[in-house]
PDB file of all heavy atoms in Angstrom:
ATOM      1  N   TYR A 218       0.844  -1.199  -0.027  1.00  0.00           N
ATOM      2  CA  TYR A 218      -0.018   0.027  -0.006  1.00  0.00           C
ATOM      3  C   TYR A 218       0.888   1.256  -0.005  1.00  0.00           C
ATOM      4  O   TYR A 218       1.690   1.454   0.913  1.00  0.00           O
ATOM      5  CB  TYR A 218      -0.921   0.021   1.238  1.00  0.00           C
ATOM      6  CG  TYR A 218      -1.776   1.241   1.338  1.00  0.00           C
ATOM      7  CD1 TYR A 218      -2.986   1.364   0.665  1.00  0.00           C
ATOM      8  CD2 TYR A 218      -1.376   2.346   2.110  1.00  0.00           C
ATOM      9  CE1 TYR A 218      -3.807   2.444   0.753  1.00  0.00           C
ATOM     10  CE2 TYR A 218      -2.160   3.455   2.212  1.00  0.00           C
ATOM     11  CZ  TYR A 218      -3.403   3.524   1.538  1.00  0.00           C
ATOM     12  OH  TYR A 218      -4.117   4.656   1.640  1.00  0.00           O
ATOM     13  N   ILE A 219       0.683   2.081  -0.984  1.00  0.00           N
ATOM     14  CA  ILE A 219       1.528   3.328  -1.117  1.00  0.00           C
ATOM     15  C   ILE A 219       0.618   4.442  -1.554  1.00  0.00           C
ATOM     16  O   ILE A 219      -0.033   4.349  -2.637  1.00  0.00           O
ATOM     17  CB  ILE A 219       2.717   3.138  -2.119  1.00  0.00           C
ATOM     18  CG1 ILE A 219       3.607   1.985  -1.766  1.00  0.00           C
ATOM     19  CG2 ILE A 219       3.450   4.406  -2.261  1.00  0.00           C
ATOM     20  CD1 ILE A 219       4.668   1.712  -2.744  1.00  0.00           C
ATOM     21  N   THR A 220       0.484   5.480  -0.774  1.00  0.00           N
ATOM     22  CA  THR A 220      -0.229   6.692  -1.091  1.00  0.00           C
ATOM     23  C   THR A 220      -1.632   6.388  -1.748  1.00  0.00           C
ATOM     24  O   THR A 220      -1.903   6.868  -2.835  1.00  0.00           O
ATOM     25  CB  THR A 220       0.562   7.650  -1.941  1.00  0.00           C
ATOM     26  OG1 THR A 220       0.884   6.917  -3.210  1.00  0.00           O
ATOM     27  CG2 THR A 220       1.821   8.095  -1.255  1.00  0.00           C
ATOM     28  N   GLY A 221      -2.425   5.679  -1.017  1.00  0.00           N
ATOM     29  CA  GLY A 221      -3.767   5.410  -1.434  1.00  0.00           C
ATOM     30  C   GLY A 221      -3.948   4.321  -2.434  1.00  0.00           C
ATOM     31  O   GLY A 221      -5.057   4.142  -2.986  1.00  0.00           O
ATOM     32  N   LYS A 222      -2.922   3.562  -2.800  1.00  0.00           N
ATOM     33  CA  LYS A 222      -3.077   2.504  -3.778  1.00  0.00           C
ATOM     34  C   LYS A 222      -2.249   1.292  -3.339  1.00  0.00           C
ATOM     35  O   LYS A 222      -1.172   1.397  -2.867  1.00  0.00           O
ATOM     36  CB  LYS A 222      -2.509   3.025  -5.090  1.00  0.00           C
ATOM     37  CG  LYS A 222      -2.545   1.997  -6.265  1.00  0.00           C
ATOM     38  CD  LYS A 222      -2.019   2.588  -7.527  1.00  0.00           C
ATOM     39  CE  LYS A 222      -2.034   1.520  -8.638  1.00  0.00           C
ATOM     40  NZ  LYS A 222      -1.474   2.078  -9.917  1.00  0.00           N
ATOM     41  N   VAL A 223      -2.891   0.124  -3.543  1.00  0.00           N
ATOM     42  CA  VAL A 223      -2.180  -1.150  -3.351  1.00  0.00           C
ATOM     43  C   VAL A 223      -1.480  -1.481  -4.662  1.00  0.00           C
ATOM     44  O   VAL A 223      -2.099  -1.710  -5.699  1.00  0.00           O
ATOM     45  CB  VAL A 223      -3.160  -2.269  -2.955  1.00  0.00           C
ATOM     46  CG1 VAL A 223      -2.432  -3.574  -2.880  1.00  0.00           C
ATOM     47  CG2 VAL A 223      -3.802  -1.938  -1.562  1.00  0.00           C
ATOM     48  N   VAL A 224      -0.146  -1.546  -4.612  1.00  0.00           N
ATOM     49  CA  VAL A 224       0.627  -1.723  -5.832  1.00  0.00           C
ATOM     50  C   VAL A 224       0.484  -3.165  -6.358  1.00  0.00           C
ATOM     51  O   VAL A 224       0.471  -3.403  -7.568  1.00  0.00           O
ATOM     52  CB  VAL A 224       2.097  -1.428  -5.582  1.00  0.00           C
ATOM     53  CG1 VAL A 224       2.937  -1.702  -6.797  1.00  0.00           C
ATOM     54  CG2 VAL A 224       2.235   0.007  -5.123  1.00  0.00           C
ATOM     55  N   ARG A 225       0.393  -4.125  -5.438  1.00  0.00           N
ATOM     56  CA  ARG A 225       0.203  -5.531  -5.881  1.00  0.00           C
ATOM     57  C   ARG A 225      -1.077  -6.063  -5.359  1.00  0.00           C
ATOM     58  O   ARG A 225      -1.235  -6.762  -4.317  1.00  0.00           O
ATOM     59  CB  ARG A 225       1.397  -6.391  -5.280  1.00  0.00           C
ATOM     60  CG  ARG A 225       2.737  -6.004  -5.933  1.00  0.00           C
ATOM     61  CD  ARG A 225       3.839  -6.915  -5.456  1.00  0.00           C
ATOM     62  NE  ARG A 225       4.286  -6.567  -4.119  1.00  0.00           N
ATOM     63  CZ  ARG A 225       5.276  -5.683  -3.829  1.00  0.00           C
ATOM     64  NH1 ARG A 225       5.799  -5.058  -4.844  1.00  0.00           N
ATOM     65  NH2 ARG A 225       5.628  -5.458  -2.588  1.00  0.00           N
ATOM     66  N   PRO A 226      -2.258  -5.776  -6.049  1.00  0.00           N
ATOM     67  CA  PRO A 226      -3.539  -6.046  -5.552  1.00  0.00           C
ATOM     68  C   PRO A 226      -3.952  -7.556  -5.663  1.00  0.00           C
ATOM     69  O   PRO A 226      -4.834  -8.014  -4.946  1.00  0.00           O
ATOM     70  CB  PRO A 226      -4.442  -5.165  -6.426  1.00  0.00           C
ATOM     71  CG  PRO A 226      -3.683  -5.033  -7.719  1.00  0.00           C
ATOM     72  CD  PRO A 226      -2.262  -4.995  -7.312  1.00  0.00           C
ATOM     73  N   GLU A 227      -3.319  -8.241  -6.605  1.00  0.00           N
ATOM     74  CA  GLU A 227      -3.730  -9.617  -6.796  1.00  0.00           C
ATOM     75  C   GLU A 227      -2.657 -10.612  -6.219  1.00  0.00           C
ATOM     76  O   GLU A 227      -1.445 -10.240  -6.126  1.00  0.00           O
ATOM     77  CB  GLU A 227      -3.873  -9.928  -8.308  1.00  0.00           C
ATOM     78  CG  GLU A 227      -4.945  -9.065  -8.953  1.00  0.00           C
ATOM     79  CD  GLU A 227      -5.110  -9.310 -10.446  1.00  0.00           C
ATOM     80  OE1 GLU A 227      -4.812 -10.540 -10.850  1.00  0.00           O
ATOM     81  OE2 GLU A 227      -5.431  -8.400 -11.215  1.00  0.00           O
ATOM     82  N   ILE A 228      -3.084 -11.803  -5.871  1.00  0.00           N
ATOM     83  CA  ILE A 228      -2.201 -12.796  -5.321  1.00  0.00           C
ATOM     84  C   ILE A 228      -1.097 -13.176  -6.267  1.00  0.00           C
ATOM     85  O   ILE A 228       0.064 -13.365  -5.874  1.00  0.00           O
ATOM     86  CB  ILE A 228      -2.978 -14.088  -4.851  1.00  0.00           C
ATOM     87  CG1 ILE A 228      -3.892 -13.757  -3.709  1.00  0.00           C
ATOM     88  CG2 ILE A 228      -2.034 -15.154  -4.530  1.00  0.00           C
ATOM     89  CD1 ILE A 228      -4.701 -14.901  -3.176  1.00  0.00           C
ATOM     90  N   ARG A 229      -1.366 -13.190  -7.566  1.00  0.00           N
ATOM     91  CA  ARG A 229      -0.340 -13.507  -8.518  1.00  0.00           C
ATOM     92  C   ARG A 229       0.770 -12.431  -8.516  1.00  0.00           C
ATOM     93  O   ARG A 229       1.924 -12.784  -8.687  1.00  0.00           O
ATOM     94  CB  ARG A 229      -0.920 -13.655  -9.952  1.00  0.00           C
ATOM     95  CG  ARG A 229      -1.471 -12.408 -10.549  1.00  0.00           C
ATOM     96  CD  ARG A 229      -2.138 -12.706 -11.917  1.00  0.00           C
ATOM     97  NE  ARG A 229      -2.747 -11.483 -12.450  1.00  0.00           N
ATOM     98  CZ  ARG A 229      -2.111 -10.696 -13.361  1.00  0.00           C
ATOM     99  NH1 ARG A 229      -0.903 -11.018 -13.739  1.00  0.00           N
ATOM    100  NH2 ARG A 229      -2.742  -9.649 -13.835  1.00  0.00           N
ATOM    101  N   HIS A 230       0.406 -11.213  -8.248  1.00  0.00           N
ATOM    102  CA  HIS A 230       1.448 -10.142  -8.160  1.00  0.00           C
ATOM    103  C   HIS A 230       2.309 -10.398  -6.973  1.00  0.00           C
ATOM    104  O   HIS A 230       3.508 -10.157  -6.973  1.00  0.00           O
ATOM    105  CB  HIS A 230       0.797  -8.803  -8.102  1.00  0.00           C
ATOM    106  CG  HIS A 230      -0.013  -8.458  -9.295  1.00  0.00           C
ATOM    107  ND1 HIS A 230      -1.236  -7.745  -9.179  1.00  0.00           N
ATOM    108  CD2 HIS A 230       0.133  -8.757 -10.593  1.00  0.00           C
ATOM    109  CE1 HIS A 230      -1.753  -7.566 -10.378  1.00  0.00           C
ATOM    110  NE2 HIS A 230      -0.958  -8.181 -11.253  1.00  0.00           N
ATOM    111  N   ARG A 231       1.653 -10.796  -5.839  1.00  0.00           N
ATOM    112  CA  ARG A 231       2.438 -10.945  -4.591  1.00  0.00           C
ATOM    113  C   ARG A 231       3.299 -12.181  -4.606  1.00  0.00           C
ATOM    114  O   ARG A 231       4.409 -12.162  -4.134  1.00  0.00           O
ATOM    115  CB  ARG A 231       1.438 -10.995  -3.409  1.00  0.00           C
ATOM    116  CG  ARG A 231       0.831  -9.606  -3.109  1.00  0.00           C
ATOM    117  CD  ARG A 231      -0.294  -9.679  -2.022  1.00  0.00           C
ATOM    118  NE  ARG A 231      -1.546  -9.324  -2.647  1.00  0.00           N
ATOM    119  CZ  ARG A 231      -2.685  -9.732  -2.179  1.00  0.00           C
ATOM    120  NH1 ARG A 231      -2.787 -10.552  -1.159  1.00  0.00           N
ATOM    121  NH2 ARG A 231      -3.834  -9.306  -2.755  1.00  0.00           N
ATOM    122  N   TYR A 232       2.811 -13.217  -5.128  1.00  0.00           N
ATOM    123  CA  TYR A 232       3.631 -14.471  -5.230  1.00  0.00           C
ATOM    124  C   TYR A 232       4.790 -14.197  -6.193  1.00  0.00           C
ATOM    125  O   TYR A 232       5.934 -14.595  -5.904  1.00  0.00           O
ATOM    126  CB  TYR A 232       2.821 -15.684  -5.718  1.00  0.00           C
ATOM    127  CG  TYR A 232       3.615 -16.935  -5.611  1.00  0.00           C
ATOM    128  CD1 TYR A 232       3.607 -17.698  -4.488  1.00  0.00           C
ATOM    129  CD2 TYR A 232       4.419 -17.386  -6.709  1.00  0.00           C
ATOM    130  CE1 TYR A 232       4.355 -18.806  -4.395  1.00  0.00           C
ATOM    131  CE2 TYR A 232       5.212 -18.487  -6.578  1.00  0.00           C
ATOM    132  CZ  TYR A 232       5.137 -19.261  -5.439  1.00  0.00           C
ATOM    133  OH  TYR A 232       5.911 -20.354  -5.318  1.00  0.00           O
ATOM    134  N   ARG A 233       4.535 -13.497  -7.297  1.00  0.00           N
ATOM    135  CA  ARG A 233       5.558 -13.169  -8.236  1.00  0.00           C
ATOM    136  C   ARG A 233       6.671 -12.317  -7.597  1.00  0.00           C
ATOM    137  O   ARG A 233       7.854 -12.515  -7.734  1.00  0.00           O
ATOM    138  CB  ARG A 233       5.028 -12.474  -9.438  1.00  0.00           C
ATOM    139  CG  ARG A 233       6.031 -12.151 -10.523  1.00  0.00           C
ATOM    140  CD  ARG A 233       5.309 -11.473 -11.721  1.00  0.00           C
ATOM    141  NE  ARG A 233       4.863 -10.111 -11.334  1.00  0.00           N
ATOM    142  CZ  ARG A 233       4.132  -9.377 -12.118  1.00  0.00           C
ATOM    143  NH1 ARG A 233       3.713  -9.800 -13.307  1.00  0.00           N
ATOM    144  NH2 ARG A 233       3.722  -8.154 -11.763  1.00  0.00           N
ATOM    145  N   GLN A 234       6.225 -11.307  -6.775  1.00  0.00           N
ATOM    146  CA  GLN A 234       7.164 -10.430  -6.058  1.00  0.00           C
ATOM    147  C   GLN A 234       8.080 -11.301  -5.125  1.00  0.00           C
ATOM    148  O   GLN A 234       9.266 -11.061  -5.106  1.00  0.00           O
ATOM    149  CB  GLN A 234       6.440  -9.374  -5.233  1.00  0.00           C
ATOM    150  CG  GLN A 234       7.192  -8.745  -4.117  1.00  0.00           C
ATOM    151  CD  GLN A 234       8.345  -7.892  -4.572  1.00  0.00           C
ATOM    152  OE1 GLN A 234       8.343  -7.467  -5.740  1.00  0.00           O
ATOM    153  NE2 GLN A 234       9.295  -7.648  -3.709  1.00  0.00           N
ATOM    154  N   TRP A 235       7.424 -12.176  -4.398  1.00  0.00           N
ATOM    155  CA  TRP A 235       8.235 -13.026  -3.480  1.00  0.00           C
ATOM    156  C   TRP A 235       9.272 -13.894  -4.187  1.00  0.00           C
ATOM    157  O   TRP A 235      10.456 -13.900  -3.839  1.00  0.00           O
ATOM    158  CB  TRP A 235       7.263 -13.857  -2.587  1.00  0.00           C
ATOM    159  CG  TRP A 235       8.038 -14.784  -1.640  1.00  0.00           C
ATOM    160  CD1 TRP A 235       8.771 -14.428  -0.537  1.00  0.00           C
ATOM    161  CD2 TRP A 235       8.073 -16.232  -1.722  1.00  0.00           C
ATOM    162  NE1 TRP A 235       9.253 -15.525   0.007  1.00  0.00           N
ATOM    163  CE2 TRP A 235       8.875 -16.658  -0.710  1.00  0.00           C
ATOM    164  CE3 TRP A 235       7.601 -17.127  -2.665  1.00  0.00           C
ATOM    165  CZ2 TRP A 235       9.161 -18.032  -0.511  1.00  0.00           C
ATOM    166  CZ3 TRP A 235       7.847 -18.504  -2.447  1.00  0.00           C
ATOM    167  CH2 TRP A 235       8.646 -18.941  -1.393  1.00  0.00           C
ATOM    168  N   LEU A 236       8.792 -14.628  -5.165  1.00  0.00           N
ATOM    169  CA  LEU A 236       9.667 -15.577  -5.837  1.00  0.00           C
ATOM    170  C   LEU A 236      10.764 -14.914  -6.618  1.00  0.00           C
ATOM    171  O   LEU A 236      11.919 -15.291  -6.566  1.00  0.00           O
ATOM    172  CB  LEU A 236       8.827 -16.559  -6.643  1.00  0.00           C
ATOM    173  CG  LEU A 236       9.583 -17.744  -7.240  1.00  0.00           C
ATOM    174  CD1 LEU A 236       8.687 -18.973  -7.251  1.00  0.00           C
ATOM    175  CD2 LEU A 236      10.033 -17.435  -8.660  1.00  0.00           C
ATOM    176  N   VAL A 237      10.398 -13.897  -7.381  1.00  0.00           N
ATOM    177  CA  VAL A 237      11.398 -13.257  -8.172  1.00  0.00           C
ATOM    178  C   VAL A 237      12.411 -12.493  -7.345  1.00  0.00           C
ATOM    179  O   VAL A 237      13.661 -12.558  -7.631  1.00  0.00           O
ATOM    180  CB  VAL A 237      10.771 -12.235  -9.203  1.00  0.00           C
ATOM    181  CG1 VAL A 237      11.783 -11.412  -9.954  1.00  0.00           C
ATOM    182  CG2 VAL A 237       9.885 -13.006 -10.221  1.00  0.00           C
ATOM    183  N   HIS A 238      11.950 -11.888  -6.298  1.00  0.00           N
ATOM    184  CA  HIS A 238      12.923 -11.212  -5.361  1.00  0.00           C
ATOM    185  C   HIS A 238      13.810 -12.227  -4.716  1.00  0.00           C
ATOM    186  O   HIS A 238      15.089 -12.113  -4.759  1.00  0.00           O
ATOM    187  CB  HIS A 238      12.203 -10.430  -4.376  1.00  0.00           C
ATOM    188  CG  HIS A 238      13.141  -9.691  -3.343  1.00  0.00           C
ATOM    189  ND1 HIS A 238      12.806  -9.555  -2.040  1.00  0.00           N
ATOM    190  CD2 HIS A 238      14.359  -9.121  -3.604  1.00  0.00           C
ATOM    191  CE1 HIS A 238      13.846  -8.881  -1.484  1.00  0.00           C
ATOM    192  NE2 HIS A 238      14.737  -8.634  -2.398  1.00  0.00           N
ATOM    193  N   LYS A 239      13.216 -13.307  -4.180  1.00  0.00           N
ATOM    194  CA  LYS A 239      13.974 -14.301  -3.449  1.00  0.00           C
ATOM    195  C   LYS A 239      15.036 -15.009  -4.257  1.00  0.00           C
ATOM    196  O   LYS A 239      16.185 -15.179  -3.891  1.00  0.00           O
ATOM    197  CB  LYS A 239      13.035 -15.361  -2.829  1.00  0.00           C
ATOM    198  CG  LYS A 239      13.686 -16.441  -2.036  1.00  0.00           C
ATOM    199  CD  LYS A 239      14.196 -15.879  -0.703  1.00  0.00           C
ATOM    200  CE  LYS A 239      13.081 -15.400   0.186  1.00  0.00           C
ATOM    201  NZ  LYS A 239      13.566 -14.948   1.491  1.00  0.00           N
ATOM    202  N   LEU A 240      14.702 -15.337  -5.521  1.00  0.00           N
ATOM    203  CA  LEU A 240      15.551 -16.146  -6.353  1.00  0.00           C
ATOM    204  C   LEU A 240      16.391 -15.383  -7.390  1.00  0.00           C
ATOM    205  O   LEU A 240      17.437 -15.833  -7.751  1.00  0.00           O
ATOM    206  CB  LEU A 240      14.738 -17.232  -7.061  1.00  0.00           C
ATOM    207  CG  LEU A 240      13.952 -18.203  -6.167  1.00  0.00           C
ATOM    208  CD1 LEU A 240      13.233 -19.236  -7.017  1.00  0.00           C
ATOM    209  CD2 LEU A 240      14.857 -18.872  -5.143  1.00  0.00           C
ATOM    210  N   ALA A 241      15.896 -14.210  -7.784  1.00  0.00           N
ATOM    211  CA  ALA A 241      16.578 -13.504  -8.860  1.00  0.00           C
ATOM    212  C   ALA A 241      17.122 -12.172  -8.470  1.00  0.00           C
ATOM    213  O   ALA A 241      18.335 -11.974  -8.403  1.00  0.00           O
ATOM    214  CB  ALA A 241      15.649 -13.337 -10.071  1.00  0.00           C
ATOM    215  N   THR A 242      16.241 -11.182  -8.132  1.00  0.00           N
ATOM    216  CA  THR A 242      16.783  -9.866  -7.840  1.00  0.00           C
ATOM    217  C   THR A 242      17.514  -9.715  -6.520  1.00  0.00           C
ATOM    218  O   THR A 242      18.273  -8.789  -6.321  1.00  0.00           O
ATOM    219  CB  THR A 242      15.631  -8.843  -7.880  1.00  0.00           C
ATOM    220  OG1 THR A 242      14.620  -9.146  -6.898  1.00  0.00           O
ATOM    221  CG2 THR A 242      14.965  -8.744  -9.239  1.00  0.00           C
ATOM    222  N   TRP A 243      17.384 -10.694  -5.651  1.00  0.00           N
ATOM    223  CA  TRP A 243      18.104 -10.749  -4.437  1.00  0.00           C
ATOM    224  C   TRP A 243      19.600 -10.838  -4.822  1.00  0.00           C
ATOM    225  O   TRP A 243      20.490 -10.331  -4.045  1.00  0.00           O
ATOM    226  CB  TRP A 243      17.684 -11.975  -3.643  1.00  0.00           C
ATOM    227  CG  TRP A 243      18.040 -11.982  -2.146  1.00  0.00           C
ATOM    228  CD1 TRP A 243      19.377 -11.997  -1.646  1.00  0.00           C
ATOM    229  CD2 TRP A 243      17.188 -12.027  -1.069  1.00  0.00           C
ATOM    230  NE1 TRP A 243      19.313 -12.056  -0.256  1.00  0.00           N
ATOM    231  CE2 TRP A 243      17.977 -12.015   0.123  1.00  0.00           C
ATOM    232  CE3 TRP A 243      15.832 -12.014  -0.912  1.00  0.00           C
ATOM    233  CZ2 TRP A 243      17.462 -12.108   1.386  1.00  0.00           C
ATOM    234  CZ3 TRP A 243      15.300 -12.080   0.386  1.00  0.00           C
ATOM    235  CH2 TRP A 243      16.059 -12.072   1.507  1.00  0.00           C
ATOM    236  N   GLN A 244      19.928 -11.439  -5.894  1.00  0.00           N
ATOM    237  CA  GLN A 244      21.318 -11.576  -6.307  1.00  0.00           C
ATOM    238  C   GLN A 244      21.957 -10.208  -6.573  1.00  0.00           C
ATOM    239  O   GLN A 244      23.168 -10.056  -6.299  1.00  0.00           O
ATOM    240  CB  GLN A 244      21.402 -12.455  -7.554  1.00  0.00           C
ATOM    241  CG  GLN A 244      20.927 -13.884  -7.362  1.00  0.00           C
ATOM    242  CD  GLN A 244      21.199 -14.775  -8.522  1.00  0.00           C
ATOM    243  OE1 GLN A 244      22.223 -14.743  -9.187  1.00  0.00           O
ATOM    244  NE2 GLN A 244      20.188 -15.569  -8.875  1.00  0.00           N
ATOM    245  N   GLN A 245      21.189  -9.254  -6.972  1.00  0.00           N
ATOM    246  CA  GLN A 245      21.703  -7.900  -7.194  1.00  0.00           C
ATOM    247  C   GLN A 245      21.988  -7.229  -5.840  1.00  0.00           C
ATOM    248  O   GLN A 245      22.946  -6.479  -5.705  1.00  0.00           O
ATOM    249  CB  GLN A 245      20.716  -7.054  -7.990  1.00  0.00           C
ATOM    250  CG  GLN A 245      20.501  -7.593  -9.403  1.00  0.00           C
ATOM    251  CD  GLN A 245      19.416  -6.787 -10.135  1.00  0.00           C
ATOM    252  OE1 GLN A 245      18.516  -6.194  -9.522  1.00  0.00           O
ATOM    253  NE2 GLN A 245      19.365  -6.943 -11.459  1.00  0.00           N
ATOM    254  N   GLN A 246      21.164  -7.574  -4.797  1.00  0.00           N
ATOM    255  CA  GLN A 246      21.311  -6.999  -3.500  1.00  0.00           C
ATOM    256  C   GLN A 246      22.529  -7.583  -2.719  1.00  0.00           C
ATOM    257  O   GLN A 246      23.311  -6.883  -2.159  1.00  0.00           O
ATOM    258  CB  GLN A 246      20.074  -7.236  -2.649  1.00  0.00           C
ATOM    259  CG  GLN A 246      18.930  -6.294  -2.912  1.00  0.00           C
ATOM    260  CD  GLN A 246      17.765  -6.557  -1.968  1.00  0.00           C
ATOM    261  OE1 GLN A 246      17.038  -7.522  -2.153  1.00  0.00           O
ATOM    262  NE2 GLN A 246      17.668  -5.664  -0.954  1.00  0.00           N
ATOM    263  N   PHE A 247      22.582  -8.902  -2.724  1.00  0.00           N
ATOM    264  CA  PHE A 247      23.520  -9.611  -1.893  1.00  0.00           C
ATOM    265  C   PHE A 247      24.582 -10.480  -2.609  1.00  0.00           C
ATOM    266  O   PHE A 247      25.383 -11.128  -1.988  1.00  0.00           O
ATOM    267  CB  PHE A 247      22.778 -10.503  -0.880  1.00  0.00           C
ATOM    268  CG  PHE A 247      21.838  -9.735  -0.005  1.00  0.00           C
ATOM    269  CD1 PHE A 247      20.491  -9.795  -0.187  1.00  0.00           C
ATOM    270  CD2 PHE A 247      22.336  -8.873   1.010  1.00  0.00           C
ATOM    271  CE1 PHE A 247      19.597  -9.093   0.600  1.00  0.00           C
ATOM    272  CE2 PHE A 247      21.467  -8.182   1.814  1.00  0.00           C
ATOM    273  CZ  PHE A 247      20.142  -8.247   1.628  1.00  0.00           C
TER     274      PHE A 247
END
């Protein structure tokens, strides 16, 4: 939720966020 809007309103968006971050973009962080 950011300034009056839910950025990831659907479950597919949230699962995608978790899996892609955990397995892919996390590599850019750590």
